[in-house]
Amino acid sequence: MIKSEYFIRAAQEKGFGLYTGVPCSYLKSFINTVIDSDHLRYVGAANEGDAVAIACGAELAGVPSVVMFQNSGFGNAVNPLTSLTHTFKIPILVIVTWRGQPGGAPDEPQHQLMGAITPQLLDLIQVPWEPFPTEIDQVEPTLDRAVAHMRQHQTPYALVMQKGSVESCPLSSQLTMKPLSITPADALPLQQEPSFTRRDMLQAIQGATGPEDILLATTGYTGRELYAIQDQANQLYMVGSMGCISSLGLGMALAQPHRRVIVVDGDGAALMRLGALATVGYERPPNLRHILLDNQRHESTGGQSTVSASIDFGAIAKACGYEQVALATTPEEVKALTQDPCEQLMFIHAKIKPGIPDKLPRPHITPLEVAQRLRQFIEAR
């Protein structure tokens, strides 16, 4: 058993600056130590997959990151661990607890199967792992192996934490409560039937993006259309990891607080991980613009309807803590809102017509090349 501060201090010396995750009783003292630190950032995520995406965003933006979660929630993290970290080659350190460990302490029935397969699941998704260190003299060598793998292969490395690995540590600081300023939903203007396409809105957004800004496009046709309009070094086109773009943007915005991060989301993707809005709204990075292009379709995967016609995205964003919420009906309005110099977290909801341009190309640049180019863009400015 070790003190959590031993591991965290050693990790900090190796550059790890942001921690994110979903709590587990095994991780309690570990998370408490990070929260109490004046030099580290902890972001509590709505689910394990969002945590992976947040860590990836911070790492892409230059801050090595750690993601922590209970193994019973491992399934939520499998998608971004296979289609985000693997595809874009983003190395993050994963700490996963081993509830239900065979031969270990008795545990709840829901941990039985996952406890039996946790190591094999890491092997299956090609994430190398080793036990979380339980002795002081193990900490440095363990981190050295993890960092060496991450630098060489640019992929995650996992530490599996067994019960009793870390000494108990109470939380000294208190969670900061951020008051809401909610505009009643019926005070928001009603939108007209959409008259503009995804391409119209993307052209406006791209035209409003400054030379220092980062522009992130969600999975599917949004990224492909943005690429077709004009491929640029400050752009990232998400593949896989459906619904993770706002969490990726959050991590980047926290890691690059002096640079604007513009996230272009879709209604189907946003609905898939709607809890991410709560995390973004709590953190409230003033340099983040979250733009939702809503055509009420899963257009990239067959054109089936989403349920967005029956909900108010703006009201949800406002209730989650977004300080500025706007509805836009024209490209000019989207452009003006994107360029707005206000230093507050903003959500822009723009309904668009369904439709796909003829002969829409797929990017000729690979996801790995996109990630490498974006890193270079950030480092050069």
Side-chain angles (χ1 to χ4, degrees):
M1 186 179 294
I2 62 171
K3 290 182 180 292
S4 53
E5 63 188 73
Y6 294 155
F7 183 95
I8 291 167
R9 189 185 308 123
Q12 186 177 357
E13 290 173 356
K14 296 184 184 302
F16 293 97
L18 183 141
Y19 288 72
T20 180
V22 179
C24 171
S25 59
Y26 290 14
L27 290 165
K28 180 179 177 180
S29 60
F30 201 89
I31 294 175
N32 287 349
T33 302
V34 176
I35 292 174
D36 284 340
S37 172
D38 294 329
H39 308 290
L40 299 171
R41 184 69 175 259
Y42 177 74
V43 180
N47 65 61
E48 295 79 5
D50 290 347
V52 171
I54 292 167
C56 286
E59 200 286 329
L60 269 175
V63 178
S65 299
V66 181
V67 61
M68 306 174 287
F69 53 81
Q70 182 180 125
N71 59 335
S72 63
F74 196 166
N76 288 328
V78 168
N79 176 246
L81 282 173
T82 55
S83 62
L84 178 55
T85 62
H86 178 80
T87 308
F88 287 97
K89 298 297 183 186
I90 304 175
I92 57 173
L93 183 61
V94 178
I95 299 175
V96 55
T97 62
W98 199 352
R99 304 292 299 267
Q101 179 182 358
D107 214 328
E108 301 295 329
Q110 68 268 23
H111 301 305
Q112 182 178 0
L113 178 57
M114 183 55 81
I117 66 172
T118 293
Q120 296 94 316
L121 186 53
L122 285 164
D123 292 337
L124 185 63
I125 64 173
Q126 299 178 22
V127 174
W129 65 278
E130 63 178 281
F132 187 89
T134 56
E135 301 292 338
I136 296 176
D137 59 3
Q138 296 173 349
V139 171
E140 197 75 27
T142 297
L143 282 169
D144 285 342
R145 287 188 293 271
V147 170
H149 168 86
M150 293 161 68
R151 286 177 178 169
Q152 181 179 354
H153 300 283
Q154 294 295 295
T155 54
Y157 193 89
L159 303 178
V160 178
M161 181 184 285
Q162 301 177 48
K163 186 174 184 178
S165 296
V166 181
E167 290 184 16
S168 177
C169 174
L171 180 66
S172 299
S173 56
Q174 295 296 318
L175 182 69
T176 302
M177 303 305 294
K178 301 180 180 180
L180 294 176
S181 177
I182 300 177
T183 302
D186 59 4
L188 296 173
L190 295 175
Q191 282 194 298
Q192 304 168 356
E193 284 299 310
S195 303
F196 298 93
T197 65
R198 184 189 297 106
R199 183 181 181 87
D200 295 330
M201 296 301 188
L202 288 173
Q203 285 179 318
I205 294 166
Q206 195 176 63
T209 302
E212 304 295 321
D213 297 343
I214 298 169
L215 180 56
L216 310 175
T218 192
T219 311
Y221 289 132
T222 302
R224 289 175 61 182
E225 287 197 44
L226 183 63
Y227 169 84
I229 293 167
Q230 185 177 359
D231 180 35
Q232 296 182 159
N234 66 330
Q235 296 176 173
L236 182 140
Y237 320 111
M238 179 67 88
V239 296
S241 307
M242 185 77 162
C244 287
I245 197 69
S246 61
S247 295
L248 186 80
L250 172 60
M252 299 193 87
L254 294 176
Q256 290 283 320
H258 304 299
R259 188 192 300 272
R260 287 205 319 163
V261 178
I262 301 166
V263 170
V264 185
D265 213 341
D267 52 301
L271 287 167
M272 186 170 286
R273 292 189 179 272
L274 201 57
L277 271 70
T279 304
V280 175
Y282 174 78
E283 293 294 335
R284 298 183 197 173
N287 56 325
L288 182 63
R289 289 284 192 279
H290 189 175
I291 305 171
L292 179 69
L293 302 184
D294 178 8
N295 62 5
Q296 301 179 12
R297 300 283 190 280
H298 285 293
E299 196 161 50
S300 299
T301 53
Q304 300 84 2
S305 296
T306 67
V307 299
S308 71
S310 66
I311 65 173
D312 187 335
F313 278 113
I316 292 170
K318 197 71 175 178
C320 285
Y322 284 70
E323 296 156 305
Q324 296 289 328
V325 173
L327 299 175
T329 59
T330 68
E332 292 75 21
E333 290 173 353
V334 169
K335 184 174 183 178
L337 288 164
T338 305
Q339 290 177 321
D340 191 318
C342 87
E343 296 184 357
Q344 287 185 313
L345 172 66
M346 182 182 291
F347 183 87
I348 303 168
H349 182 199
K351 287 190 176 181
I352 59 173
K353 295 194 299 184
I356 310 159
D358 293 335
K359 299 180 180 179
L360 179 64
R362 294 184 182 275
H364 295 300
I365 185 170
T366 68
L368 175 57
E369 291 168 338
V370 168
Q372 291 173 335
R373 185 179 67 177
L374 185 58
R375 291 182 194 277
Q376 293 167 0
F377 170 82
I378 292 171
E379 291 171 358
R381 287 171 166 79

